[in-house]
Amino acid sequence: MRKITPLIFLLLTMLACKEEDKKPETASNVKEEAQAFLEDYSKTYKKLYYDSSKAEWAANTHIVAGDTTNAYNVQKANEAYAKFTGSTEVIEKTKQFLEHKDELDIVQVRQLNTILYGAGNNPETVSDVVSKRIAAQNAQSETLYGFDFQVDGKSVTTGDIDKVLRESSNETERLKNWEASKAVGKDLKDGLENLRQLRNQTVQALGYDDYFSYQVSEYGMDRKEMLAEMNKMVKEVWPLYRELHTWARYELAKKYNAEVPEYIPAHWLPNRWGQDWSPLVNVEGLDIDAALADKDPEWIVKEGENFYVSIGFDPLPASFYEKSSMYPLPADADYKKNNHASAWHMDLENDLRCLMSVEPTADYYETIHHELGHIYYYQAYTNPNVPPLLRAGANRGYHEAIGSLLGLAAMQKPFLASKGLVDENVKIDEIQNLLKEALNYVVFLPFSAGVMSEFENALYAENLPKDQYNSKWWELAKKYQGMVPPSERGEDFCDAASKTHINDDAAQYYDYAISYILLFQFHDHIAKNILHQDPHATNYFGSKDVGTFLRGVLETGANNDWRELLKSSVGSEMSAKPMLDYFAPLMDYLKAQNEGRTYTLPETI
């Protein structure tokens, strides 16, 4: 071993001390440089995000056949947004900072991960593909929202179609409207194939296997983990769903004076995709449609706002009412709009808007509470403790969970009675009420976790051939929903593409399945631990304690670990148990109703 002289030892010691002195300084420099980068990025990001939002808003609220102005503006704004978020410089800088993540604080790391995830959908290295994807998506949206739906040669809206499917007992009329609702799929099929290719190519440039895997990664999960979670959800609710399916087959056969079918014809169900069967049951004493018949749509919206204000949230800004598009267009309007209800955080600050076509119905009464749930989530996390890049839900399912939670709360009898929409002394059939709710919440899970998630996985991850789009869709609908088309649907159709989310919010419909599990966890906690009420009969209105709980869930946005936030909020991990407990009293009733009937769905899936 080589000897070290005292002089050399002293020099080495001094150098070591200097290195120790430099480490904190270097760490501090990295942190400061990262913060400067994040602030600079956020400033530009917010502007481009707003420009994109405004262009998209115009394209959704003012659709004129043959006018290419919206398409041009959306293309221009989204290309600028994509060019910035996916720039090679941004990607490289972000990766460099993440190499030193141990020297950064957790909020910085979260923002950097958000930047890198966003870049995955817009990498500059394939800018030509990104531009084509933006153009293709905009064309797909214009085709869908500008489509002229027709029944017997007469133009109808999707709202008109939905009303027929909810209310009509005329099977011929129902069939015509159901078929009309699917006609748009033919015009969307080629575009969907093109979008699949472009979306996959875009994210593959940054190492993702496919677009479905890319979307799932935002949960910190891989594709197989998410599909396993979805499969688990369906399995857990399957025994109850099987009872509901059997009950519905026999009840619908009576309604249409027909033989009991093996599987339910799609046009018999009160929803275009068979995702909500709740209109099959009318609960005596809970005729909300009748109570709302003389109300203005504006009254419905204000009632929604009053609910949130009552539990301690601020009134909506005046700009919300000035800039939103919440009511049906006049019959003589020379343009169309997207009627699908949605909430928009336009600028990641205080420009908050809703897009829908509110009418005085129970559906819209629930929907306005749902959509304002999104709006108040936006408002809650727009605060100095949440950087703009983290102004999002704890995960995407959280956003939908909060909306659906408040939609559920708004439809329970004690709340409705407090608003004068039902007589508080009226006796209602609790089992029928529970049945109606199950036909919404339980029925939705095989569609969302099963049909939609499996179809989009097949589309993006398994490269489903275009000549199998329709057969795959109906194969999944039969397997998970026990639903079949009313007649042969060949590959000239593309019934999946009639669903908005297949085109515009692709490969993330599992968000809604997750949200239904979360909403019952939140509702169970609020009912039992805050209100000390029966989860089947709650009234959140006026409870500041409920508002305090909700604000605690909302105000951190995505500046948290969603699993930890859930555990700290309700004391458990994600679980279907509260949902199953909620509907447990219904099982005995359905088994009694179905005694002697033939089940056509398997006992397990």
Side-chain angles (χ1 to χ4, degrees):
M1 180 181 289
R2 188 175 57 174
K3 291 183 178 179
I4 299 178
T5 66
L7 180 59
I8 294 175
F9 177 79
L10 180 61
L11 288 171
L12 287 172
T13 302
M14 291 172 64
L15 284 170
C17 289
K18 287 187 176 180
E19 283 298 314
E20 288 298 318
D21 289 344
K22 283 167 70 177
K23 277 183 182 176
E25 183 181 333
T26 304
S28 176
N29 286 345
V30 169
K31 199 169 182 178
E32 289 174 6
E33 288 171 12
Q35 190 59 34
F37 167 72
L38 289 169
E39 289 174 4
D40 186 54
Y41 178 94
S42 296
K43 183 178 180 181
T44 305
Y45 176 82
K46 281 176 64 180
K47 179 189 180 304
L48 295 174
Y49 183 93
Y50 199 16
D51 290 344
S52 174
S53 296
K54 287 185 287 188
E56 295 276 7
W57 178 262
N60 277 270
T61 57
H62 199 278
I63 303 166
V64 178
D67 187 345
T68 60
T69 304
N70 280 337
Y72 173 79
N73 290 338
V74 169
Q75 181 82 10
K76 186 177 178 183
N78 285 354
E79 281 186 349
Y81 173 84
K83 184 177 180 181
F84 172 71
T85 58
S87 76
T88 303
E89 181 184 2
V90 162
I91 292 169
E92 289 178 351
K93 277 190 174 181
T94 303
K95 286 182 174 179
Q96 286 171 7
F97 284 123
L98 284 171
E99 287 174 3
H100 300 277
K101 65 180 181 181
D102 291 343
E103 301 167 45
L104 305 175
D105 67 47
I106 186 62
V107 179
Q108 291 176 318
V109 172
R110 285 175 182 147
Q111 290 177 85
L112 291 167
N113 283 330
T114 297
I115 291 172
L116 202 57
Y117 175 80
N121 203 27
N122 303 303
E124 187 180 30
T125 51
V126 289
S127 58
D128 57 330
V129 177
V130 174
S131 294
K132 288 177 184 175
R133 188 205 75 224
I134 293 168
Q137 186 161 319
N138 186 45
Q140 194 82 339
S141 295
E142 289 207 328
T143 298
L144 177 60
Y145 301 131
F147 187 75
D148 183 21
F149 293 91
Q150 293 194 351
V151 175
D152 291 333
K154 179 185 175 183
S155 295
V156 296
T157 68
T158 53
D160 295 331
I161 292 172
D162 290 340
K163 189 173 191 296
V164 168
L165 294 179
R166 279 197 314 269
E167 299 176 4
S168 175
S169 297
N170 183 321
E171 193 176 354
T172 301
E173 181 185 30
R174 297 182 67 84
L175 179 59
K176 286 179 180 179
N177 278 267
W178 185 89
E179 289 178 341
S181 78
K182 303 301 175 191
V184 66
K186 291 183 175 182
D187 293 358
L188 295 167
K189 191 166 191 175
D190 288 342
L192 181 58
E193 181 191 38
N194 185 40
L195 270 175
R196 183 264 302 278
Q197 181 180 353
L198 294 171
R199 283 167 172 159
N200 275 350
Q201 288 177 351
T202 299
V203 300
Q204 283 164 352
L206 270 191
Y208 294 96
D209 290 339
D210 57 82
Y211 192 70
F212 190 88
S213 298
Y214 165 74
Q215 290 283 23
V216 167
S217 71
E218 193 172 14
Y219 280 84
M221 300 166 76
D222 63 31
R223 178 173 68 92
K224 289 183 178 178
E225 287 172 332
M226 180 60 79
L227 290 174
E229 189 67 42
M230 294 299 102
N231 188 45
K232 177 172 172 281
M233 284 184 193
V234 176
K235 280 187 173 180
E236 287 179 334
V237 303
W238 190 253
L240 180 53
Y241 183 78
R242 185 169 176 259
E243 296 292 341
L244 291 166
H245 179 266
T246 304
W247 173 87
R249 282 172 43 240
Y250 281 82
E251 293 301 313
L252 288 168
K254 284 183 205 172
K255 178 177 180 179
Y256 301 117
N257 194 27
E259 290 186 12
V260 178
E262 186 177 8
Y263 298 98
I264 301 174
H267 71 298
W268 281 16
L269 291 168
N271 175 273
R272 281 178 270 165
W273 303 280
Q275 70 183 61
D276 176 9
W277 306 352
S278 58
L280 296 181
V281 172
N282 290 315
V283 182
E284 193 172 341
L286 281 181
D287 188 356
I288 313 305
D289 284 326
L292 295 172
D294 63 344
K295 305 295 185 186
D296 294 326
E298 292 85 351
W299 183 90
I300 303 287
V301 177
K302 274 294 184 181
E303 277 296 287
E305 180 183 14
N306 290 341
F307 171 84
Y308 289 90
V309 172
S310 84
I311 60 175
F313 288 93
D314 293 333
L316 293 167
S319 61
F320 172 81
Y321 289 99
E322 294 163 2
K323 296 180 177 181
S324 290
S325 175
M326 289 185 288
Y327 309 111
L329 294 175
D332 60 351
D334 58 357
Y335 63 95
K336 294 179 180 290
K337 64 182 266 191
N338 173 8
N339 291 304
H340 184 77
S342 55
W344 299 54
H345 197 186
M346 298 290 293
D347 59 350
L348 300 177
E349 292 291 344
N350 295 307
D351 188 346
L352 310 164
R353 306 183 194 180
C354 267
L355 169 60
M356 61 181 86
S357 292
V358 178
E359 296 181 27
T361 66
D363 278 349
Y364 273 110
Y365 191 76
E366 180 176 357
T367 298
I368 196 64
H369 286 83
H370 177 112
E371 296 304 332
L372 290 184
H374 292 296
I375 294 295
Y376 275 100
Y377 205 160
Y378 299 148
Q379 196 172 61
Y381 58 57
T382 301
N383 67 69
N385 296 321
V386 181
L389 292 174
L390 299 179
R391 289 176 186 171
N395 64 35
R396 295 193 306 259
Y398 264 75
H399 241 300
E400 291 303 325
I402 295 303
S404 297
L405 169 68
L406 280 308
L408 170 68
M411 299 306 288
Q412 294 201 319
K413 181 193 166 185
F415 171 76
L416 293 168
S418 76
K419 305 303 292 180
L421 296 176
V422 300
D423 182 348
E424 65 178 331
N425 297 315
V426 72
K427 298 290 185 185
I428 67 166
D429 188 324
E430 299 294 348
I431 286 294
Q432 287 298 300
N433 194 38
L434 204 56
L435 174 60
K436 187 176 182 67
E437 290 178 329
L439 291 170
N440 177 0
Y441 295 105
V442 177
V443 160
F444 181 74
L445 280 175
F447 174 74
S448 54
V451 178
M452 286 291 286
S453 296
E454 290 287 353
F455 180 82
E456 293 195 291
N457 173 67
L459 183 67
Y460 292 101
E462 298 172 0
N463 207 31
L464 180 69
K466 185 172 73 169
D467 63 3
Q468 296 176 27
Y469 285 5
N470 223 41
S471 60
K472 184 67 173 180
W473 176 257
W474 286 107
E475 171 196 321
L476 292 169
K478 183 177 181 180
K479 175 183 176 180
Y480 285 103
Q481 295 177 278
M483 181 180 79
V484 292
S487 59
E488 187 65 32
R489 305 288 290 180
E491 288 301 331
D492 51 329
F493 297 103
C494 187
D495 295 326
S498 70
K499 183 68 174 168
T500 301
H501 305 77
I502 294 285
N503 304 283
D504 289 345
D505 294 308
Q508 49 188 311
Y509 207 77
Y510 43 83
D511 293 353
Y512 296 96
I514 288 170
S515 78
Y516 274 30
I517 299 301
L518 294 176
L519 93 85
F520 277 97
Q521 289 187 266
F522 289 135
H523 179 67
D524 187 75
H525 178 83
I526 289 170
K528 293 177 179 176
N529 300 316
I530 298 176
L531 296 174
H532 306 290
Q533 295 172 359
D534 178 355
H536 304 98
T538 63
N539 184 4
Y540 291 16
F541 193 86
S543 172
K544 298 298 191 291
D545 288 340
V546 169
T548 298
F549 169 77
L550 288 174
R551 191 175 291 102
V553 175
L554 307 183
E555 65 187 359
T556 58
N559 193 12
N560 53 57
D561 179 303
W562 69 266
R563 295 173 182 84
E564 291 178 4
L565 178 63
L566 180 62
K567 199 162 187 178
S568 66
S569 300
V570 301
S572 70
E573 297 176 348
M574 192 163 66
S575 168
K577 186 177 183 302
M579 184 184 202
L580 295 171
D581 288 347
Y582 185 90
F583 290 109
L586 187 61
M587 278 296 280
D588 289 342
Y589 169 81
L590 287 170
K591 284 180 178 179
Q593 292 291 304
N594 291 331
E595 187 175 355
R597 292 174 173 176
T598 302
Y599 292 78
T600 53
L601 292 182
E603 288 188 20
T604 58
I605 188 168

